[in-house]
Amino acid sequence: MDKLEWLSQVKKGLLEYSILKIISCSSIYGYDIMSILNEYETLSTTEGTIYPLLRRLEKNKLICSFWKDSTPGTPPRKYYDLTEDGVHTLTMMDTEWVKVVNDIEKLKEVRYHNE
């Protein structure tokens, strides 16, 4: 497995968590979510990935959306917020993420050898 393939698999699991984390800070629209993710090399993504994921999160009732007028002369934008279920899910993800990171760090310290 090469680096890009491995990172792609890791990213798939992290994008949902990252998006919920971003939305938890404030109401935000899709392009801004993508821009924030693109600030981080390993989380960088495209519209073809972010918008289907946002639709899935909304279908699963973890986020909700609403339209909001933007600057005069531009069309309204679709903003996203966490639902109550989204808040609970994010809290669970935060707890589990700490466990995953701790376990991986411990695993990196162990030296296994065949007998």
Side-chain angles (χ1 to χ4, degrees):
M1 177 183 304
D2 69 358
K3 175 184 170 183
L4 291 178
E5 183 181 345
W6 182 77
L7 284 173
S8 174
Q9 292 300 314
V10 171
K11 187 192 298 190
K12 285 179 184 178
L14 293 176
L15 277 177
E16 184 175 305
Y17 177 50
S18 300
I19 289 169
L20 292 176
K21 187 58 97 173
I22 291 167
I23 295 173
S24 74
C25 296
S26 66
S27 299
I28 189 167
Y29 65 102
Y31 184 82
D32 275 353
I33 294 169
M34 189 175 65
S35 295
I36 291 168
L37 290 170
N38 287 340
E39 292 177 18
Y40 304 93
E41 180 182 352
T42 59
L43 298 175
S44 182
T45 192
T46 64
E47 290 180 22
T49 299
I50 189 90
Y51 289 108
L53 184 49
L54 288 168
R55 283 192 295 277
R56 185 169 58 78
L57 291 170
E58 190 167 20
K59 181 181 175 190
N60 292 338
K61 301 185 181 342
L62 299 179
I63 63 174
C64 58
S65 63
F66 61 94
W67 291 93
K68 184 176 175 183
D69 288 332
S70 51
T71 57
T74 60
R77 293 179 174 157
K78 189 175 187 178
Y79 281 75
Y80 298 92
D81 272 324
L82 288 185
T83 62
E84 188 174 324
D85 285 346
V87 171
H88 294 302
T89 298
L90 181 58
T91 300
M92 176 274 300
M93 288 175 160
D94 283 337
T95 300
E96 294 305 312
W97 180 250
V98 170
K99 292 177 186 177
V100 167
V101 169
N102 286 336
D103 287 348
I104 293 295
E105 288 303 316
K106 289 176 193 172
L107 185 64
K108 287 169 38 180
E109 293 174 8
V110 174
R111 300 291 179 235
Y112 293 98
H113 47 87
N114 294 330
E115 297 184 323

